[in-house]
Amino acid sequence: MNTPQNQGLRLPHAPSSPPSDAAAATAAQAAADVRSTEAEKPVAGGAHSGKPGVLERLKAARPGMAALDTSSVAPPAGLDDGGKAGNGEPEHRAATDSADSAVRLQEPSTPAATRAATDSADSAVRPQEPATPAATRAAARAAAAGAATARTAARGAATASRAVRDAGNTSGKFVRRGASATTANVRSWDPDRVRQVAVSLAAIACIGGSAAGVGAFGGASISDAAGGILAPDATLLAPASRAFTIWSVIYAGLILFTLYQWLPSQRAGKRQRRLGWVVASSMLLNVAWILSVQASMLSLSLGVILLLLGVLLYALRILNRTRPRSRWEGLLVDVPLGLYLGWVIVAAAANIASVATAGRADLFGWGGLVWALVGLAAVTLGTMMVCMTDRGRLSVAFAACWGLTWIAVERFFGEPTAPVVAFAAAFAVFLVLVSAGSRRHQVDHNYRRWTRAQQDATREPLDLLATREPDDADR
């Protein structure tokens, strides 16, 4: 069989990925070794020359390759232990495969490192491809399309901004016009009519609050609320339960006042204009006091009832400065408000005693009995001062005496028993009635004297020294 002719040196097969610089250098060294081997090898089929093979020379050139396990890399077919080929073509293929194996052995062990080295070598070996005119035109068209899209978006944003601004301006105009119209409408309202409606609504709320105070809506009554601190046996200044029936008379009087202020003659009256809002405030404060007591907020209830007392005193001041124009006006306006004020004076004292008892307060260490007497003295003096205003406020005196009388009864026959407090309350009743009666008598007496003086001023004076002419009968 003929021996195949030597076809020349073959370069190693191209790696699957671009080699790195170190791999390229190793491949070049392997190719040089192959060429030197071609120059030095004997004729095909001859004896071994005794020189080291390709793999040994590669290992000598790359000391790192000596540590690799060469047993895992099988020698190419056609090479003997010395790296010598048996014949021509297999010998060249063996040398080429050896160089290719040497190149492959230099690749990184991890995929990430392999990809990094491949990319670096690719960028170093292969030059940048020049952009074609078609690609340039496509890029220009894409840039122009992007710019057009951006301009369209900017125009849309500007349009939306103008629309929002116009909507804001329009809504602002509508709001201003609505506010102006509302203000003009409110200003066009009749203030007297508004006052009458406010008083009526306050009266309705006051009646509803009184129903809640007696437990009509399922809540606790005033005597049972807040742990029974306002019960008749809670403090020395608490009146008996029957004393609270005066609220029925007071509420009836407030209803009559509300109805009376709707009369055409009272709609624009000076007295009603000054009293209307004050009375409405007092009725709302009464509701607030009931709700605060039922909520066990004693401190708040004390503040509310003191404020209510101040409002009613201001109403009394208005009554004293504006005289009633008729007896009906005095009966339907002055009397209900006087009863309201007289009872609130006693109720405020009882509320202060309840708050002090709940807080276990004992100022100066005087004890509850002494402080009860002090409270009665304050109630008596305050009521006397009120009753001695104007012509003598008998309605205030009657309401206050009603409360003081039931305090005396409760301290005589109820618990806790305190005869001293009972006697003091009875004496207070006497003082209040005397002061109110004396003031009324004094004012009425002065009024009768003034009336007589007016009559005398208009009467012709008598001439006692003038001689009387004889009449026809004497002749």
Side-chain angles (χ1 to χ4, degrees):
M1 183 176 59
N2 295 329
T3 302
Q5 296 297 324
N6 187 10
Q7 300 296 326
L9 180 64
R10 287 186 179 185
L11 294 178
H13 296 290
S16 59
S17 60
S20 60
D21 295 341
T26 304
Q29 182 64 31
D33 292 341
V34 170
R35 285 194 296 270
S36 62
T37 303
E38 288 289 335
E40 295 176 359
K41 69 178 181 179
V43 181
H48 193 276
S49 64
K51 293 184 180 181
V54 176
L55 291 178
E56 285 78 4
R57 295 177 64 182
L58 287 173
K59 291 179 181 180
R62 302 291 296 178
M65 294 178 59
L68 299 175
D69 188 6
T70 56
S71 62
S72 62
V73 181
L79 291 177
D80 55 6
D81 294 337
K84 184 177 178 182
N87 49 21
E89 180 65 24
E91 177 182 1
H92 291 290
R93 185 175 299 153
T96 304
D97 292 342
S98 299
D100 191 39
S101 300
V103 171
R104 289 192 184 96
L105 287 174
Q106 299 300 318
E107 293 181 357
S109 58
T110 60
T114 303
R115 286 193 298 271
T118 302
D119 296 340
S120 176
D122 191 15
S123 61
V125 173
R126 284 187 284 182
Q128 296 291 334
E129 295 181 359
T132 61
T136 303
R137 288 192 297 273
R141 286 194 297 271
T149 303
R151 288 192 298 271
T152 303
R155 287 194 296 271
T159 304
S161 177
R162 286 193 299 271
V164 171
R165 186 171 60 252
D166 294 340
N169 294 334
T170 304
S171 61
K173 291 179 181 178
F174 281 123
V175 169
R176 288 191 294 271
R177 290 176 183 176
S180 300
T182 303
T183 304
N185 190 17
V186 170
R187 289 178 179 177
S188 65
W189 291 353
D190 186 2
D192 295 327
R193 184 71 66 184
V194 173
R195 185 198 70 246
Q196 291 174 328
V197 172
V199 172
S200 301
L201 294 177
I204 295 173
C206 187
I207 300 303
S210 66
V214 298
F217 300 129
S221 62
I222 296 298
S223 59
D224 298 331
I229 196 61
L230 296 175
D233 57 350
T235 63
L236 295 177
L237 291 181
S241 300
R242 295 182 181 180
F244 294 95
T245 57
I246 195 176
W247 277 115
S248 301
V249 181
I250 294 173
Y251 290 142
L254 292 176
I255 292 174
L256 291 176
F257 170 84
T258 303
L259 296 177
Y260 180 73
Q261 57 112 27
W262 278 98
L263 294 178
S265 60
Q266 300 297 318
R267 178 178 177 180
K270 180 179 179 181
R271 210 172 191 225
Q272 289 293 336
R273 285 180 174 176
R274 299 184 63 183
L275 275 176
W277 293 106
V278 178
V279 175
S281 302
S282 68
M283 290 188 285
L284 294 178
L285 288 173
N286 184 24
V287 177
W289 181 81
I290 293 174
L291 296 178
S292 61
V293 170
Q294 288 188 332
S296 300
M297 304 173 67
L298 293 179
S299 299
L300 179 61
S301 67
L302 178 59
V304 171
I305 200 168
L306 291 178
L307 183 59
L308 175 59
L309 179 60
V311 171
L312 291 177
L313 288 174
Y314 182 72
L316 178 67
R317 183 171 178 265
I318 296 175
L319 293 177
N320 292 334
R321 290 192 172 187
T322 55
R323 303 277 302 172
R325 293 182 294 180
S326 65
R327 291 184 179 273
W328 283 107
E329 183 176 353
L331 182 62
L332 299 176
V333 176
D334 294 39
V335 172
L337 296 180
L339 294 175
Y340 198 2
L341 175 58
W343 174 252
V344 168
I345 293 174
V346 179
N351 200 345
I352 294 173
S354 300
V355 173
T357 302
R360 300 182 182 276
D362 187 10
L363 190 62
F364 306 124
W366 288 356
L369 180 61
V370 176
W371 280 112
L373 295 175
V374 171
L376 285 175
V379 170
T380 304
L381 292 176
T383 307
M384 290 173 62
M385 292 177 61
V386 171
C387 292
M388 293 181 69
T389 59
D390 196 50
R391 295 179 60 238
R393 293 294 173 180
L394 295 180
S395 58
V396 178
F398 288 155
C401 290
W402 175 268
L404 292 172
T405 300
W406 285 108
I407 290 176
V409 171
E410 186 66 23
R411 297 291 73 83
F412 266 125
F413 304 104
E415 293 293 337
T417 303
V420 178
V421 177
F423 280 114
F427 185 67
V429 171
F430 171 75
L431 292 178
V432 171
L433 290 177
V434 168
S435 62
S438 63
R439 175 65 177 176
R440 174 60 64 92
H441 174 73
Q442 180 183 1
V443 172
D444 289 345
H445 179 67
N446 292 335
Y447 178 74
R448 285 191 296 269
R449 291 181 60 184
W450 177 81
T451 304
R452 189 178 297 115
Q454 292 295 325
Q455 293 175 356
D456 293 340
T458 58
R459 187 179 302 167
E460 294 182 0
L462 296 177
D463 189 4
L464 299 177
L465 300 178
T467 58
R468 183 173 63 92
E469 295 182 357
D471 53 6
D472 295 337
D474 294 337
R475 295 176 182 174

